[in-house]
Structure formats: C-alpha cells, structure tokens
Amino acid sequence: APLPPGTVRGNKALVGVTQRPGGAVECEFADGERSEFDLVVGCDGVSSAVRGHVVGPESPVYSGIRCRFAVATDEGGAQFRPGMDPGCMEQWFADGCYCL
C-alpha cells in the first residue's frame, strides 16, 4: 500500500534529533519546524545529523572500504559476472565477497 501523503518529506535540512521518552524521535529542521516521528531513516551520508545522534560526535574515519552501486538489466541474457545466475540479484563487493 502507498504511504499516506506527507509521510516522506523532501527538501528539508535536518539540524537536530532528540530521542523522547516512549521512543518517539523529535526532528528539528533548518527552517525552524519541529516534528515528532516513530521512525527516522538517515540516508544522507557520513555528515548526517541522524548519524551523529546514533554514533556520537566523533568524526567518521575512512575504513578503506568503498561502495559503488549501479542498476543494470540483463536484456538478451547477458551476465554481469561470469557464472552469475540470471534470476539472482546480488551485490558484488570484491573477489569472492558477495551479498545475496
């Protein structure tokens, strides 16, 4: 089922996150708006305000791991990796390292 209108908010700059008693999360935005949510998903990178709330104020440290994503089709039966099952979706990390 589709999400109700207003569930996903775009064009907002999050500046603060506060955990409330009972589990709700209050988000403060750069435009001054404050809203309470049951779930907050931070997917805006290592400088995310949500990340700081979860792991603390420490600066991120480069781990040496890079992640790249792509979307490809297998029209005509092409295989993206030798031996790959055409009906299988997987993410390749490095030689011998896969996530199915």
Side-chain angles (χ1 to χ4, degrees):
L3 295 171
T7 301
V8 177
R9 299 178 183 196
N11 299 317
K12 301 292 271 186
L14 184 69
V15 296
V17 178
T18 304
Q19 184 80 44
R20 296 285 179 216
V25 178
E26 181 183 78
C27 294
E28 179 183 357
F29 299 96
D31 63 6
E33 179 188 349
R34 290 176 180 262
S35 296
E36 233 178 58
F37 301 95
D38 294 324
L39 174 69
V40 175
V41 177
C43 53
D44 54 341
V46 296
S47 298
S48 166
V50 174
R51 179 194 177 280
H53 177 72
V54 173
V55 300
E58 310 79 49
S59 294
V61 176
Y62 179 60
S63 67
I65 298 172
R66 296 181 186 174
C67 189
R68 297 198 173 135
F69 295 92
V71 176
T73 62
D74 108 294
E75 295 174 18
Q79 292 184 340
F80 307 120
R81 181 180 58 80
M84 181 178 164
D85 177 355
C88 176
M89 291 185 66
E90 62 180 52
Q91 184 173 356
W92 178 69
F93 295 100
D95 289 339
C97 299
Y98 305 97
C99 179
L100 301 175

